[in-house]
Amino acid sequence: MDSITPEVANHVLFHYGRGGCQAGSFTEQIIKSIDMADPANRDKLALGFPDYVAAVAAIQYDPDGVANLTAIATSGEVAA
C-alpha cells in the first residue's frame, strides 16, 4: 500500500464530506477524477498520484476507511 500523508487524508476526507480540509482546485479535480474513474483509468491515475488513489480506495472500499484516514489526518504521521 502506498503511503498516505496527513495532507492527503485531510483532502480526501473533505471531498467525501467527512471532515478534513479542502485541497486546492487542481488537487480537488484529481480527487474527483479518481472518484469517478473505472479500474483501468484509476490504475493510470495511480502512476502519478498513488497516495491519493490509495486514500480514495480506502474510503470507498474499506469499512474502516473513514476511521483510518481520520487517524492519519489527526496523527501527523504517514501511514504505509
Side-chain angles (χ1 to χ4, degrees):
M1 178 182 205
D2 293 295
S3 297
I4 300 173
T5 65
E7 178 182 40
V8 169
N10 273 298
H11 292 164
V12 172
L13 286 166
F14 184 88
H15 175 78
Y16 286 94
R18 306 299 233 135
C21 59
Q22 188 170 17
S25 59
F26 177 79
T27 302
E28 278 288 325
Q29 292 301 315
I30 295 299
I31 296 168
K32 188 182 215 181
S33 296
I34 295 165
D35 183 25
M36 298 171 46
D38 59 49
N41 284 309
R42 186 174 281 191
D43 288 346
K44 291 175 186 175
L45 287 164
L47 296 173
F49 307 98
D51 48 355
Y52 280 98
V53 171
V56 169
I59 206 166
Q60 286 183 338
Y61 303 115
D62 181 353
D64 298 321
V66 172
N68 291 339
L69 289 176
T70 300
I72 294 166
T74 58
S75 73
E77 296 178 16
V78 176

